[in-house]
Amino acid sequence: MKNQKIGDGIYWIGVQDFTTYMFEGMWPIDQEGVNYNAYIVEGDDKIALIDTVKSIKTDEYFENIESVLGDKVPDYLVVNHMEPDHSSSIEAVINRYPGIRIVGNTKTFPMIENFYQIDDHFLEITNGGELDLGGRKLQFFFTPMVHWPESMVTFDQKTGTLFSMDIFGSFKATVGSIFADENDIESFEEPTYRYYACIVGKVTEMAQRSLGALAPLTINTICPSHGMIWRTPEDIDYLLKLWTKLAYAKTEPGVIITYGTMYGNTRESADIIADTLREAGVKTIKMYDVGRTNISYILADLWKYQGAIFGSPAYYGGIFPLMQNLLYKLEGNKLRNHVAGFFTEYSWSGGAERVFQDFVKKTGTVEAADMVRVQGAPNKQDTVALKTLAHAVATEIVAAQNEAEAQLQAE
Ligand code: FEO
């Protein structure tokens, strides 16, 4: 995709990546791809680049820069964030524009040195500090830990354009237009949930703080580092509401059942729970086999829905390793505002229940009912216990469902 004009002196010069299979080496983006957005801001006297792109796309990035600037040379490279999906073309930028100044904060520069062995060209700015480009000023706001310690956003005061870095980003590359009002916004919702749960979920309190710090700004356009550019009041309102919902982990009624299984017995228990939930009136029920689904999809739905039921067989005195993998990431994300339940399956001495109990303790998860332990396959007594667990979860979810429906009718 070629450069696109965003506003007075502002251009998108980013790239789409349909090559990388796993973002951060963990999260599949093979089908949907991802944008690495970068920008140019031209003042009367100076020109700033905002961020670079992943180094597999450096050539395309330079083509886009030159299609906007021609022979003109940028004066500044603002480094909002050092994760290599945005920073790994810094060295190439310095080689091409040896006079350029790298704009960052005290936490940015040691990272540039460590990643790229570059220790000069630096121009340090402060939180709230400004950079005069002539006829317009860029202002900088630090947003630590969203997503890394050095993370910051850049605000063009003249046009009210916020270069929001990872904040307001999503998986899924744009095709054709970069603008939200020229794309199918709904098709970006699931990739946004997945992006948030996988990339930002662990630091959601910091995301809340950053959203609060940016609230006083009068924003006309939002230019994130991933996903679309938002420029209409309706779309910006939608985006702010969605990100507030994400940051405060406001869930929707529905139950996610996640299980691991080796021979289908744990799946049998999961089926009993799913049937009971449906009979009790739960409308949204989703079931994931942790052995078949990348955990990013499960994390996204766990961020979205209120009910969370987990089932796992024992495995050599511990828990099914693929469930352990999910729990490891969930320990960071936590189950916030959730109604949770657990069931295990064992053949002789068990072990999964101890891991689940540790998880509950560490994360402060509230269990809706006692954990159910099934030896072998579920018998009549186990079925009663599984149904009791499902009913306990369903009671709270159906109440939330009714409340949400009443609210919708009232609007
Ligand atoms: Fe898109 Fe945290 O980098």
Side-chain angles (χ1 to χ4, degrees):
M1 221 159 83
K2 297 300 171 205
N3 87 72
Q4 296 190 36
K5 184 165 184 174
I6 298 166
D8 177 18
I10 303 180
Y11 297 84
W12 175 86
I13 48 158
V15 297
Q16 278 81 21
D17 178 5
F18 288 103
T19 310
T20 300
Y21 175 57
M22 293 281 197
F23 190 85
E24 289 189 340
M26 286 179 280
W27 319 118
I29 50 167
D30 56 328
Q31 297 291 315
E32 58 196 6
V34 71
N35 280 14
Y36 309 121
N37 295 330
Y39 304 93
I40 286 176
V41 183
E42 280 193 276
D44 295 338
D45 306 323
K46 304 281 185 190
I47 298 169
L49 306 176
I50 314 268
D51 290 316
T52 74
V53 300
K54 192 172 172 181
S55 57
I56 57 168
K57 289 279 183 174
T58 306
D59 289 348
E60 203 177 316
Y61 171 67
F62 281 132
E63 278 169 29
N64 270 342
I65 291 174
E66 278 156 23
S67 69
V68 174
L69 296 183
D71 292 337
K72 288 186 282 187
V73 170
D75 300 279
Y76 301 111
L77 169 62
V78 175
V79 178
N80 276 335
H81 180 25
M82 272 301 295
E83 193 166 7
D85 52 335
H86 311 294
S87 73
S88 54
S89 298
I90 288 179
E91 196 173 359
V93 168
I94 291 175
N95 289 339
R96 184 166 294 228
Y97 308 116
I100 203 161
R101 306 289 306 277
I102 309 294
V103 180
N105 57 66
T106 48
K107 295 198 170 135
T108 315
F109 301 138
M111 287 187 177
I112 294 183
E113 211 170 332
N114 292 334
F115 274 98
Y116 308 115
Q117 291 73 56
I118 295 167
D119 60 3
D120 52 14
H121 294 79
F122 297 159
L123 176 64
E124 186 186 324
I125 47 83
T126 55
N127 190 19
E130 294 176 345
L131 182 67
D132 195 344
L133 301 181
R136 76 195 317 153
K137 284 179 181 170
L138 297 179
Q139 193 171 16
F140 306 96
F141 298 97
F142 297 176
T143 56
M145 293 317 296
V146 193
H147 162 217
W148 282 13
E150 86 305 348
S151 292
M152 63 182 201
V153 300
T154 300
F155 185 63
D156 174 51
Q157 296 169 336
K158 184 178 178 184
T159 57
T161 303
L162 179 70
F163 301 96
S164 63
M165 191 239 341
D166 277 356
I167 302 171
F168 303 124
S170 76
F171 290 140
K172 188 172 163 68
T174 52
V175 179
S177 170
I178 187 77
F179 298 106
D181 51 287
E182 294 173 350
N183 270 281
D184 172 14
I185 289 178
E186 275 182 23
S187 72
F188 278 80
E189 190 172 305
E190 189 275 338
T192 303
Y193 264 94
R194 208 157 68 84
Y195 172 87
Y196 194 93
C198 298
I199 311 296
V200 190
K202 184 173 165 47
V203 291
T204 203
E205 280 84 5
M206 303 304 280
Q208 292 169 15
R209 207 174 290 178
S210 293
L211 290 179
L214 300 176
L217 297 176
T218 303
I219 298 171
N220 298 317
T221 307
I222 296 179
C223 298
S225 293
H226 301 290
M228 302 180 287
I229 291 174
W230 306 75
R231 61 180 176 179
T232 70
E234 303 76 38
D235 289 348
I236 289 174
D237 185 54
Y238 163 88
L239 183 67
L240 292 175
K241 280 187 180 144
L242 176 61
W243 269 72
T244 302
K245 186 177 169 187
L246 289 164
Y248 286 88
K250 288 196 193 312
T251 51
E252 295 177 16
V255 181
I256 307 303
I257 305 169
T258 310
Y259 65 92
T261 196
M262 287 181 276
Y263 295 100
N265 292 313
T266 315
R267 164 80 198 207
E268 208 179 308
S269 295
D271 275 335
I272 292 165
I273 288 173
D275 287 344
T276 309
L277 290 170
R278 183 178 50 77
E279 286 159 12
V282 176
K283 290 182 179 166
T284 303
I285 304 162
K286 286 183 159 189
M287 192 123 92
Y288 286 112
D289 178 341
V290 79
R292 289 171 184 253
T293 309
N294 178 277
I295 63 165
S296 64
Y297 298 96
I298 305 170
L299 292 166
D301 266 346
L302 286 172
W303 203 271
K304 184 167 187 177
Y305 292 105
Q306 190 181 9
I309 302 180
F310 301 88
S312 177
Y315 193 84
Y316 282 126
I319 200 165
F320 191 57
L322 299 171
M323 179 59 74
Q324 179 83 69
N325 181 39
L326 174 66
L327 295 184
Y328 174 76
K329 180 66 180 166
L330 269 180
E331 271 183 32
N333 276 17
K334 299 195 181 74
L335 294 174
R336 300 155 202 267
N337 314 323
H338 281 72
V339 180
F342 299 85
F343 61 99
T344 64
E345 191 273 338
Y346 69 105
S347 302
W348 59 97
S349 63
E353 68 288 345
R354 286 190 289 277
V355 179
F356 276 147
Q357 280 156 3
D358 277 355
F359 173 80
V360 165
K361 220 181 277 174
K362 274 189 205 159
T363 56
T365 299
V366 179
E367 289 179 270
D370 289 342
M371 197 176 295
V372 179
R373 292 187 73 202
V374 175
Q375 187 162 22
N379 60 24
K380 275 189 188 165
Q381 208 180 330
D382 298 325
T383 302
V384 170
L386 290 164
K387 285 186 172 187
T388 301
L389 169 65
H391 273 296
V393 173
T395 302
E396 294 195 49
I397 301 302
V398 170
Q401 226 171 247
N402 293 340
E403 201 181 312
E405 281 170 10
Q407 232 169 25
L408 213 65
Q409 276 173 358
E411 281 169 13

Short mmCIF file of all heavy atoms in Angstrom, two decimals, residues 81 83 85-86 147 166 226, ligand 1:
data_model
loop_
_atom_site.label_atom_id
_atom_site.label_comp_id
_atom_site.label_asym_id
_atom_site.label_seq_id
_atom_site.Cartn_x
_atom_site.Cartn_y
_atom_site.Cartn_z
N HIS A 81 8.20 3.97 20.49
CA HIS A 81 8.23 2.65 21.14
C HIS A 81 9.36 1.83 20.53
O HIS A 81 9.56 1.86 19.32
CB HIS A 81 6.87 2.00 20.91
CG HIS A 81 6.70 0.64 21.49
ND1 HIS A 81 7.42 0.19 22.58
CD2 HIS A 81 5.86 -0.39 21.15
CE1 HIS A 81 7.03 -1.05 22.86
NE2 HIS A 81 6.10 -1.42 22.02
N GLU A 83 9.85 -1.62 20.70
CA GLU A 83 9.70 -3.01 20.29
C GLU A 83 10.09 -3.09 18.81
O GLU A 83 9.74 -2.22 18.01
CB GLU A 83 8.26 -3.50 20.51
CG GLU A 83 8.18 -5.02 20.38
CD GLU A 83 6.89 -5.65 20.90
OE1 GLU A 83 5.96 -4.92 21.26
OE2 GLU A 83 6.83 -6.90 20.94
N ASP A 85 9.15 -4.39 16.18
CA ASP A 85 8.20 -4.25 15.06
C ASP A 85 8.10 -2.79 14.61
O ASP A 85 7.65 -2.52 13.50
CB ASP A 85 6.81 -4.83 15.40
CG ASP A 85 6.21 -4.30 16.70
OD1 ASP A 85 6.97 -3.89 17.58
OD2 ASP A 85 4.96 -4.33 16.83
N HIS A 86 8.56 -1.86 15.46
CA HIS A 86 8.56 -0.44 15.08
C HIS A 86 9.95 0.17 15.01
O HIS A 86 10.13 1.22 14.40
CB HIS A 86 7.74 0.38 16.09
CG HIS A 86 6.40 -0.21 16.36
ND1 HIS A 86 5.42 -0.28 15.40
CD2 HIS A 86 5.89 -0.83 17.46
CE1 HIS A 86 4.36 -0.90 15.90
NE2 HIS A 86 4.62 -1.24 17.14
N HIS A 147 3.52 -0.11 25.71
CA HIS A 147 3.57 -1.52 26.08
C HIS A 147 4.89 -1.85 26.79
O HIS A 147 5.00 -2.86 27.47
CB HIS A 147 3.39 -2.27 24.76
CG HIS A 147 3.76 -3.68 24.66
ND1 HIS A 147 4.32 -4.22 23.54
CD2 HIS A 147 3.63 -4.69 25.53
CE1 HIS A 147 4.51 -5.50 23.71
NE2 HIS A 147 4.10 -5.82 24.89
N ASP A 166 1.25 1.69 20.33
CA ASP A 166 0.49 0.43 20.46
C ASP A 166 -0.95 0.67 20.96
O ASP A 166 -1.83 -0.18 20.76
CB ASP A 166 1.19 -0.52 21.44
CG ASP A 166 2.32 -1.32 20.79
OD1 ASP A 166 2.52 -1.20 19.57
OD2 ASP A 166 3.00 -2.06 21.52
N HIS A 226 -0.58 0.07 14.91
CA HIS A 226 -1.16 -1.11 14.25
C HIS A 226 -2.63 -0.81 13.93
O HIS A 226 -3.28 -0.07 14.67
CB HIS A 226 -1.13 -2.33 15.17
CG HIS A 226 0.26 -2.73 15.61
ND1 HIS A 226 1.19 -3.27 14.77
CD2 HIS A 226 0.85 -2.65 16.83
CE1 HIS A 226 2.31 -3.53 15.45
NE2 HIS A 226 2.13 -3.15 16.70
FE1 FEO B 1 3.68 -2.91 18.26
FE2 FEO B 1 4.75 -3.20 21.49
O1 FEO B 1 4.96 -3.09 19.66
#
